[in-house]
Amino acid sequence: MVWLKLILLAHSVIAVSASSVQSEIQSIVAINTTIYSTDPRISYHPESQCTGAKIGGGCGTRYDPWDSATYTSPAGVVESFFRTSSWQNQPDSDLIRHVAFGFRGSAVYIYGAPRDRLQYQPGLHEICIDGTCRAIDAASIYANPSIKGDEPVLLWSVDRLDHTRYLVLQLQLRDSSTQPLLGLTFHHIVLTEFTSRQSSKWTLPAGQELFNVTLSDTTPSLTYVPPDRSWETTIYPLGGYMRQSFHSTSNVGNAPNSDQIRSIRWSFHG
């Protein structure tokens, strides 16, 4: 059973000030988002499927063109990537091994696995955006002596895209060689997106101050919904006679489509 917990620590901060808002400022900003190989927006093709007779309710033979690998980076972070090979690849059909990703953005950067983590030598890669394709010499990219063997490798990038259009990107393996086997890996994508941000410019009346108020989890103005044993209070020591607390709950028995959804509520002026 998987338990998920929503935790409110005792250092939630609410900024309180005297009004009033003088003007609204809206701006368009570019942000970079990293999309990892396990993100549900990434799809891998062809998909895993049963190709043999089922035995005892299970699959006798399974076609698994993709598999995942994990490793620990030099920073101590567990990373993962997906990989495939040219074994039984069909590059001139719909069954070509490829990664697909749909997006809106002005730039995209595609990274493969670190050189030290490759299972096979890189094969001939191809990148396609909305049906327009170009070859990528991945073997030469990985052979570059300037890249570090323990870091993800930039395979391809493009900028100055029309960020208002929805585009579909495919990274695919063109090889079907079996001697030797050649491979393709996918680690992550960095996507440059545009978003609007609205900020407020505050002007304080004479004699007024702007200050912050910290509400701990036991503040009476906080309401825990539903008001029953769905929420637990945990108290832990900070050192000496000091104690700290937080409230927590789980998804078990939650009613997300009702007014009794597990939540923390409060009202304020600020």
Side-chain angles (χ1 to χ4, degrees):
M1 179 180 293
V2 178
W3 289 77
L4 302 176
K5 285 197 170 183
L6 170 65
I7 298 176
L8 172 68
L9 297 178
H11 50 68
S12 299
V13 177
I14 297 177
V16 180
S17 75
S19 49
S20 54
V21 178
Q22 183 181 35
S23 61
E24 298 287 343
I25 303 174
Q26 186 168 347
S27 59
I28 304 297
V29 295
I31 59 172
N32 287 332
T33 303
T34 301
I35 301 167
Y36 293 99
S37 63
T38 54
D39 193 290
R41 290 172 288 181
I42 304 292
S43 58
Y44 298 90
H45 306 270
E47 298 179 352
S48 174
Q49 55 186 298
C50 185
T51 57
K54 293 185 178 181
I55 302 175
C59 184
T61 305
R62 178 165 290 279
Y63 175 61
D64 282 317
W66 291 88
D67 72 325
S68 62
T70 60
Y71 66 98
T72 303
S73 71
V77 178
V78 177
E79 305 270 5
S80 67
F81 61 90
F82 275 70
R83 62 191 178 189
T84 191
S85 77
S86 54
W87 175 258
Q88 295 184 333
N89 187 29
Q90 300 179 42
D92 297 319
S93 75
D94 292 339
L95 296 178
I96 185 173
R97 309 279 172 87
H98 68 276
V99 186
F101 172 63
F103 68 97
R104 282 187 176 87
S106 63
V108 64
Y109 305 81
I110 305 174
Y111 289 80
R115 181 168 55 195
D116 293 349
R117 304 293 171 176
L118 295 182
Q119 185 178 22
Y120 306 109
Q121 287 298 312
L124 178 61
H125 294 17
E126 190 173 57
I127 190 76
C128 302
I129 294 185
D130 275 5
T132 301
C133 303
R134 59 173 296 176
I136 301 175
D137 187 358
S140 296
I141 294 174
Y142 274 96
N144 189 331
S146 66
I147 69 171
K148 297 181 179 179
D150 55 4
E151 294 183 354
V153 175
L154 178 63
L155 299 176
W156 184 80
S157 66
V158 64
D159 58 10
R160 299 182 181 180
L161 297 173
D162 181 356
H163 68 275
T164 64
R165 289 184 58 202
Y166 182 81
L167 302 172
V168 177
L169 179 149
Q170 285 188 195
L171 173 66
Q172 49 197 33
L173 178 63
R174 293 296 309 176
D175 287 293
S176 57
S177 168
T178 58
Q179 293 183 352
L181 285 176
L182 300 172
L184 179 149
T185 64
F186 173 73
H187 193 282
H188 70 272
I189 286 175
V190 176
L191 174 65
T192 302
E193 302 173 283
F194 281 89
T195 184
S196 60
R197 290 183 179 176
Q198 187 165 297
S199 59
S200 299
K201 185 177 180 180
W202 293 82
T203 301
L204 297 178
Q208 299 280 347
E209 293 183 84
L210 180 66
F211 57 93
N212 292 332
V213 175
T214 300
L215 303 181
S216 70
D217 66 311
T218 56
T219 301
S221 61
L222 295 180
T223 302
Y224 296 91
V225 180
D228 54 24
R229 294 184 179 180
S230 302
W231 288 87
E232 298 178 358
T233 304
T234 301
I235 301 176
Y236 59 96
L238 289 178
Y241 296 99
M242 299 293 293
R243 296 289 186 271
Q244 188 68 286
S245 69
F246 62 87
H247 277 63
S248 62
T249 190
S250 76
N251 61 324
V252 177
N254 188 26
N257 296 320
S258 73
D259 59 359
Q260 294 302 299
I261 183 173
R262 305 277 173 86
S263 56
I264 306 166
R265 304 174 185 178
W266 72 95
S267 59
F268 64 96
H269 294 282

